[in-house]
Amino acid sequence: MTKYEETPKRSANEIFKDESNYLRGTIEQSFKEPLSGKIPEMDTQLIKFHGSYMQDNRDDRLTRQKKKLEPSYQFMVRVRTPGGTATPAQWLMMDNAANTIGNGTLKVTTRQAFQIHGIVKWNVKKFMQQMNDVLLDSLAACGDVNRNVMNGVNPNQSELHAEIYDWATKLSEHLLPHTQAYHEIWLDGEKVQGTPAVADVEPIYGKHYLPRKFKIGLAVPPSNDVDVYSQDIGIIAIVKEEQLIGFNIAVGGGMGMTHGETSTYPQLGRTIGFVTPDQLVDVAEKIVTIQRDFGNRSERKNARFKYTIDKYGIEWFKEELHKRLGYALQPIKEAIFTKRGDEYGWVKGKDGNWHFTIFIENGRIQDTKEYQLMTGLREIAQVHTGEFRMTPNQNLMIANVTPQKKRTIQKLIDAYHLTDGEQYSALRRNAIACVSLPTCGLAMAEAERYLPSLITKIDDLLEQEGLRNEEIVIRMSGCPNGCSRAALAEIGFIGKGPGKYNMYLGASFIGDRLSKLYLENIDEAAILKELQQLFHRYATERLEKEHFGDFVVRTNIIEATTDGTNFHTLAHTV
Ligand code: SF4
């Protein structure tokens, strides 16, 4: 079995990490260089560990090229917000930064993090310092490390949410890199809240960090809003008589693939056992170290944890984990999921506080002439005494509103017409799109900018068949990297080229079965034609309460996954 030192040909990123002096590289100098908005390739890889990507506005590329200008380089910064929670002060800082040094918008990501786009090189440090002032950071929000830890945001379980949020934060902090590079480069040596004090030692990651990104999410049944089976470690809370007794652990989920390369595929996490709360952090750490030691360091396309498990086998993995822990996981406990979507509007928690979930289309917070969403949220942040929670479905909960404050918040909701999405179809309320164009360098087709108009057309088809209120999970990604988790959508689109998508069908409503490729490289006309026929059949042939994803599998429109978990595993064992 391959360990780091024995890897014959390490990938370029491995060399960068190796030579980076614990993620420092030449980032500090590169960001001071006055002549160009770009930074060298090695630093573009290393800066991901600091939570940022160098991008350029792809809409401007040709015009600038003709004018012999360099691309309009800019930086996206993803903020680490475990469980998607932000205080009003943090919200106001993000809002101010977006409007002064960003592109005037904020994005709620599919992993419950803030993303801010359009920061020029010379303003990145300023932004990092502004974050630090309100106890936020972007350390490990991207890169080959554990990223933002997700947790469910069910407003009906507000007390339990606090407990689960606690675990998300503990995991996030425990798995942070220990290097002081972030503090030295961005904060002139200041310490970030919650980061360990030990300098230049990485007791968990080692010098070479992980082979690829690593994701953790905690779900609280019956809601699978975090898509727990899409995570490298999916953690499922087990609750008995309203008490958290522990967690089922699922391992090796992941959404990304590469078009046309059968050695890459989306995969579902497989549940391997149950742990008590006091074991959770240790178990997560040991799982991470197995991936550190056995993940593929030669080929990044096959470096995710799912491939490590598929290569060596789940039984080998369990044995290795038990060996490292010194004890065995307990048998899996029953957990039943029934939904993934958000509960919009006002919900009263058991403690008497209120929570209002706002529908935010594809997580984009901005002001338009018609809808002053960003201003409305800013005004709310100025009076709110609870917190904000970004949901895994890219929506926003104004959480923990006291009964005394509810009327004030409601007035602002009314004044800015902030919507719970009630006027929209159930399809739109269950939609997710990644950022894609114009900023994502990997995008092959539009996603966030296109899905809303496509849904308007799909809504007409649903209306014709009386299906407007049917909950169907639809997702679009601009490339097969899978940021919108389209492989777990009942109707999924993955960008193939400008205006062209691969269409996937057949994932389950609750996210425990992957979809399958249905049609390749199709345009909007073909998408609508196909959906029209499918919706007609669904309206006339479906069983009572049958979800669309289940329907297309039962009627053999799409071939069923062989074992109820994942056909990809069987078809493409590495
Ligand atoms: Fe970019 Fe692809 Fe992720 Fe979309 S799925 S944000 S296009 S990397």
Side-chain angles (χ1 to χ4, degrees), residues 8 68 235 383 400 459 463 496 518:
K68 302 206 176 339
I235 300 169
V383 297
N400 275 318
D459 276 351
E463 193 86 53
K496 199 77 201 296
Y518 180 62

Side-chain angles (χ1 to χ4, degrees), residues 421-430 455 459 462 468-469:
E422 207 194 12
Q423 71 275 38
Y424 297 124
S425 66
L427 185 79
R428 197 180 295 274
R429 292 199 304 266
N430 281 285
I455 288 181
D459 276 351
L462 290 166
R468 189 180 160 79
N469 296 321

Side-chain angles (χ1 to χ4, degrees), residues 43-154:
D43 291 338
T44 64
Q45 297 304 324
L46 295 176
I47 199 181
K48 293 177 187 173
F49 292 78
H50 299 243
S52 180
Y53 276 68
M54 186 177 81
Q55 304 181 322
D56 72 289
N57 186 339
R58 293 175 60 180
D59 287 348
D60 290 349
R61 257 189 207 173
L62 265 180
T63 326
R64 291 182 70 89
Q65 219 173 5
K66 279 185 195 150
K67 290 183 183 166
K68 302 206 176 339
L69 294 169
E70 73 172 15
S72 55
Y73 290 114
Q74 49 186 259
F75 288 79
M76 174 276 276
V77 181
R78 191 177 294 153
V79 184
R80 186 175 65 91
T81 46
T85 300
T87 64
Q90 290 169 340
W91 187 275
L92 290 170
M93 185 285 298
M94 289 301 300
D95 173 89
N96 180 55
N99 285 299
T100 51
I101 53 174
N103 68 356
T105 76
L106 285 172
K107 172 92 174 174
V108 175
T109 74
T110 54
R111 293 194 65 76
Q112 299 177 279
F114 283 116
Q115 233 168 243
I116 181 165
H117 292 259
I119 305 182
V120 294
K121 186 172 94 171
W122 302 281
N123 279 335
V124 171
K125 185 164 179 171
K126 185 199 232 176
F127 176 61
M128 299 297 206
Q129 296 186 341
Q130 288 175 350
M131 277 196 291
N132 191 52
D133 288 344
V134 291
L135 306 181
L136 280 177
D137 64 76
S138 59
L139 179 60
C142 320
D144 297 344
V145 279
N146 176 55
R147 297 191 177 184
N148 200 40
V149 178
M150 300 175 70
N151 75 252
V153 292
N154 189 341

Side-chain angles (χ1 to χ4, degrees), residues 434-436 440 442-443 477-479 481-483:
C434 71
V435 175
S436 198
C440 178
L442 297 173
S477 276
C479 85
N481 228 11
C483 299

